[in-house]
Amino acid sequence: MPFRRAVLAAALGGCAVPPAPPPRPHGRETVIVSAESWHTDLCLPGGALGGTSLAPLGAAPLALGFGLESWMRAARPGSGDALAALGGGPAVVWLRALAGPVPPGAEETLPLRLPEGGISAIAAFVADQLAEPLPVALPIGGSALLASRLAYAPGFTCNTWVMRALAEAGLPVPVAGIRLRGEAMAALRAEAARQAGG
């Protein structure tokens, strides 16, 4: 009897539709989201940008950020600059060549795996919005503020920008409605848990 059941199960199994393959796993590309004060950055590992539109920046680890131009260029931003930020305005992309994987002032960091080609997609997202040329290279510890074609607004902040870049890279993260660091990091912790299978 057990033999007949085994033969029947094998025969029926041969007629069944094979299960769908599991979703394609994320590749080996990684990014770290770092947070400090109200701000978040994307941190790419050294050498990750070779062959991308940001390759001229060199092989050092790189932090990519976004912000209101008047705030980012102010020598010592004050309360007046903070109030002006509520109205939005022209923005810049902040590029920093790092000595380590994240900026020295990072208060919170979260590594995420990207789909294959994710870093190239982030590089393209950044390069496509730049309104001025890239510097030839950034020495370690060096930084540059480059005008962005995207505007800073109460509904599109540095944290929204980080989420948009990650969505462009293929991660299933929310963009709309993300304005504050806490909102961004909570959504990214949920994505990290999903990646870990939790």
Side-chain angles (χ1 to χ4, degrees):
M1 197 64 132
F3 177 75
R4 286 186 184 171
R5 285 188 190 140
V7 171
L8 183 60
L12 290 175
C15 298
V17 176
R24 186 174 180 181
H26 285 77
R28 297 178 186 267
E29 297 183 34
T30 60
V31 65
I32 299 173
V33 179
S34 71
E36 181 181 359
S37 189
W38 65 88
H39 182 80
T40 54
D41 283 310
L42 291 174
C43 302
L44 302 179
L49 295 172
T52 74
S53 46
L54 297 183
L57 294 174
L62 195 70
L64 308 171
F66 177 83
L68 182 69
E69 183 172 23
S70 61
W71 176 276
M72 301 294 281
R73 293 194 190 278
R76 295 186 65 160
S79 57
D81 298 296
L83 286 173
L86 296 175
V92 291
V93 173
W94 189 19
L95 306 170
R96 290 183 283 168
L98 306 174
V102 297
E107 299 164 348
E108 184 179 6
T109 62
L110 187 62
L112 295 166
R113 293 190 316 273
L114 298 174
E116 186 176 341
I119 287 178
S120 291
I122 289 172
F125 167 69
V126 172
D128 289 348
Q129 71 187 265
L130 295 178
E132 57 186 300
L134 287 170
V136 174
L138 282 177
I140 291 177
S143 68
L145 294 173
L146 302 178
S148 173
R149 292 187 181 92
L150 299 176
Y152 184 95
F156 193 87
T157 68
C158 58
N159 305 300
T160 320
W161 184 88
V162 162
M163 301 302 279
R164 168 95 177 268
L166 293 172
E168 294 279 339
L171 291 185
V173 295
V175 178
I178 301 289
R179 297 174 306 280
L180 305 175
R181 166 188 165 177
E183 295 167 337
M185 295 306 285
L188 295 177
R189 282 191 293 272
E191 169 58 14
R194 184 193 71 81
Q195 291 187 8

